[in-house]
Amino acid sequence: TLRKLFKVDAADYMLSLCGSEALRELSSPGKSGSFFYLTNDDRYMIKTMKKSEVKMLLKMLPAYYNHVRAFEDTLVTKFFGLHCVKLAGANQKKVRFVIMGNLFCSHNSIHRRFDLKGSSLGRTTDKPQTEIDQYTTLKDLDLNFIFRLKKQWFQEFQRQVDRDCDFLEQEKIMDYSLLVGVHFRHNGEKLLTEGCMDNDTNTVSTLRLSRGYMDQFLADPNGLSKIKLGTSMPARAELTARKNDCEPQLIGEPTGEYYDVILYFGIIDILQDYDISKRLEHAYKSFQYDPTSISAVDPRQYSRRFKDFIYKAFQEDS
């Protein structure tokens, strides 16, 4: 029923997943221990799941279905299938996996990707500056842009994030992220090789761009109608610079350096409820750190903090 709702053709779906082309395994599992695979056509992502995540998805499925049916532009992960295979052999191990839409399925290269939660503790990449590339998932304290959307799109973005966060809060979900992919329209490869991650505005001043692209988009009525929230959204990214203070700044100071970008984004990791392990994690870390800086907080607080941060990282283009 969900696949029909998401207008997925059954034959194409089977071909993508079960065709002769092999699946591509993505980088090694993260903290969750899950493995990720992409179909050859880039349309679907497959993630192995823990039993607790499967239970959570099945429990929230009726509410999830009602939410995605009511809000066509929802930013929450699109789920297409949930399966379990029992491996042959002595141990008869069960492998559970979910099939989701790939946010970054596009003909545009994704030059930078950010996983944003609104918390600061441990929210930087562990890679040295020189090793950061387009496949590195950067985090809150690595973010060095403010994304500026045209008024109409920003208002729609705000409305939808509010609705999605309300839904997740009602389902007692926390620990989700906004995954953002950034395509730089001009000299993206140069930006990657020369790097602007050190916030040295001199090295990137040649990449500064006007509002021309945005105006061109707005002048083309077909251009507007083709844009879907979170998919191929034109925006301007303003470079930011953090002060070198001891206190971590979630959002740096705007520098006035702008880039024409195309954005892809969605809310991911929506299957963690505020269970006993998360409550214990919160209690334990609260003794050592500022309780507001840690990721494990109750769903209401999580939702409020997430929105506060996202509406600083994304702003209306004046």
Side-chain angles (χ1 to χ4, degrees), residues 17-28:
L17 292 160
C18 309
S20 53
E21 303 285 356
L23 300 172
R24 301 201 309 278
E25 186 173 344
L26 297 179
S27 58
S28 61

Side-chain angles (χ1 to χ4, degrees), residues 43-228:
R43 283 166 68 182
Y44 303 107
M45 184 174 279
I46 295 158
K47 177 192 176 190
T48 60
M49 293 177 86
K50 295 181 288 198
K51 198 172 181 179
S52 61
E53 291 176 313
V54 171
K55 279 184 175 172
M56 191 65 228
L57 178 52
L58 292 174
K59 184 177 141 194
M60 71 187 276
L61 208 49
Y64 172 84
Y65 173 71
N66 288 334
H67 182 76
V68 296
R69 189 174 58 171
F71 304 111
E72 196 184 338
D73 285 337
T74 181
L75 296 172
V76 296
T77 307
K78 285 187 167 62
F79 293 118
F80 298 112
L82 178 64
H83 307 277
C84 178
V85 290
K86 193 184 277 187
L87 302 184
N91 67 358
Q92 297 268 296
K93 187 187 172 190
K94 283 182 177 176
V95 178
R96 300 167 182 86
F97 59 96
V98 69
I99 295 158
M100 307 176 285
N102 174 21
L103 272 180
F104 299 155
C105 177
S106 164
H107 60 275
N108 289 321
S109 306
I110 302 296
H111 296 126
R112 281 284 176 265
R113 52 190 79 203
F114 296 95
D115 178 292
L116 307 174
K117 288 178 188 267
S119 56
S120 56
L121 183 67
R123 298 297 295 158
T124 51
T125 180
D126 47 11
K127 278 192 175 183
Q129 207 66 39
T130 49
E131 286 177 30
I132 290 172
D133 61 17
Q134 65 200 85
Y135 301 108
T136 307
T137 300
L138 300 163
K139 297 180 186 175
D140 303 64
L141 293 176
D142 303 311
L143 180 66
N144 57 337
F145 293 106
I146 290 171
F147 301 114
R148 301 198 181 276
L149 299 173
K150 277 288 173 197
K151 183 177 181 178
Q152 172 196 344
W153 293 327
F154 179 72
Q155 287 174 347
E156 186 48 46
F157 170 72
Q158 247 186 332
R159 274 195 296 268
Q160 195 53 57
V161 169
D162 284 349
R163 289 171 188 145
D164 289 340
C165 285
D166 286 349
F167 160 69
L168 294 169
E169 193 182 318
Q170 281 163 17
E171 294 303 304
K172 299 184 170 50
I173 301 291
M174 39 76 69
D175 225 12
Y176 45 88
S177 312
L178 186 76
L179 184 64
V180 183
V182 187
H183 169 79
F184 292 92
R185 290 200 67 252
H186 300 266
N187 299 333
E189 305 306 322
K190 183 181 178 187
L191 186 70
L192 281 174
T193 50
E194 291 190 3
C196 67
M197 300 309 291
D198 55 358
N199 292 333
D200 177 2
T201 48
N202 295 325
T203 61
V204 289
S205 56
T206 52
L207 300 173
R208 185 175 176 178
L209 285 149
S210 68
R211 297 164 183 252
Y213 171 59
M214 199 69 72
D215 295 337
Q216 176 191 325
F217 238 105
L218 294 170
D220 170 18
N222 295 327
L224 265 174
S225 62
K226 284 178 200 159
I227 294 168
K228 192 173 179 329

